[in-house]
């Protein structure tokens, strides 16, 4: 008898904990008319695809390696680090300050792992989109500066970077992770940071490699020499 009571008590506790970490499907009619048509249920494959395109987007400044003077690699590297840190910080602050349920919470099949870790209420604004568009803006600005006369290479770099970041934004919508306003805001903030950081560096602050440090890129790899 005692074992049955203990089993019943454990079952009640388990169901109570399950209810704490699972949420009911929300009413889609509560969403504004602009965002509602673009909402989608969660898709794990499209979620992963969006992350893959985000990574590809963040790597687009690699276009600058081909024809940029070696002595400017340090400058571009520092500026890009500043860009990514600022973009990452902006989206993290927004997610801390604004609580917004992700679109997949309005459909059946919301991912339980994301509910458990609290990610389900961090929709605004899209971090993937912010970082991708920051990379595209940075690549565009630098391509215009360093390749003003190389029409073909310049526009291949710019076109590729924006194709990747746009695809990232579309996949964040299609995977049910974000609303249209999330990705639009992320694209705006990311683009602004991507252009603003190198622009500010160009006019007011120019990162330079210390005089006792020499960096060389060769077919064998990246070499750094420091004189003491």
């Amino acid at each position: 008898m005692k074992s049955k009571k203990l089993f019943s008590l454990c079952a009640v506790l388990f169901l109570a904990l399950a209810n704490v970490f699972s949420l009911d499907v929300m009413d889609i009619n509560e969403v504004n008319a602009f965002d509602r048509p673009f909402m989608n249920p969660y898709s794990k494959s499209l979620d992963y695809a969006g992350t893959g395109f985000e990574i590809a987007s963040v790597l687009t400044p690699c276009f600058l390696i081909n024809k940029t003077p070696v002595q400017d690699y340090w400058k571009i590297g520092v500026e890009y680090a500043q860009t990514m840190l600022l973009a990452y910080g902006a989206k993290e602050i927004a997610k801390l300050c604004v609580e917004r349920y992700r679109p997949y919470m309005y459909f059946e099949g919301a991912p339980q792992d994301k509910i458990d870790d609290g990610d389900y209420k961090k929709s605004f604004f899209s971090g993937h989109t912010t970082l991708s568009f920051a990379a595209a803006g940075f690549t565009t600005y630098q391509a215009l500066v360093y390749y003003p006369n190389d029409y073909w290479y310049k526009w291949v770099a710019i076109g590729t970077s924006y194709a990747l970041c746009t695809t990232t934004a579309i996949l964040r919508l299609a995977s049910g992770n974000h609303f249209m306003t999330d990705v639009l805001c992320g694209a705006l903030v990311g683009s602004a940071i991507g252009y603003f950081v190198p622009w500010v560096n160009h006019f007011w602050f120019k990162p330079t490699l210390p005089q006792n440090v020499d960096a060389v890129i060769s077919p064998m790899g990246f070499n750094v020499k420091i004189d003491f």
Side-chain angles (χ1 to χ4, degrees), residues 48-99:
Y48 286 171
T51 299
F53 273 90
E54 178 201 22
I55 294 172
S57 296
V58 171
L59 294 175
T60 52
C62 290
F63 276 107
L64 304 172
I65 295 176
N66 189 34
K67 298 184 179 183
T68 303
V70 174
Q71 61 268 25
D72 286 350
Y73 285 175
W74 172 261
K75 174 180 180 294
I76 290 176
V78 171
E79 291 178 354
Y80 191 52
Q82 294 170 345
T83 300
M84 289 292 102
L85 287 173
L86 187 58
Y88 184 85
K91 66 97 175 177
E92 284 297 305
I93 291 173
K95 290 179 183 295
L96 286 173
C97 295
V98 180
E99 182 178 292

Side-chain angles (χ1 to χ4, degrees), residues 19 24 29 48 71 114 128 172 178 187:
N19 288 330
D24 294 332
N29 293 315
Y48 286 171
Q71 61 268 25
K114 295 182 181 293
H128 285 64
R172 296 308 285 169
H178 286 290

Side-chain angles (χ1 to χ4, degrees), residues 148-222:
N149 300 318
D150 194 337
Y151 182 87
W152 183 86
Y153 190 80
K154 173 177 61 180
W155 289 109
V156 165
I158 294 172
T160 301
S161 62
Y162 273 102
L164 290 171
C165 68
T166 301
T167 303
T168 301
I170 292 172
L171 287 170
R172 296 308 285 169
L173 283 172
S175 64
N177 279 287
H178 286 290
F179 295 97
M180 176 62 78
T181 46
D182 295 335
V183 297
L184 289 177
C185 187
L188 179 63
V189 172
S191 295
I193 292 173
Y195 284 101
F196 179 74
V197 171
W199 180 77
V200 169
N201 278 281
H202 180 75
F203 287 102
W204 284 286
F205 173 66
K206 298 183 179 181
T208 57
L209 199 64
Q211 293 183 355
N212 64 328
V213 178
D214 185 28
V216 177
I217 291 183
S218 68
M220 300 301 294
F222 182 73

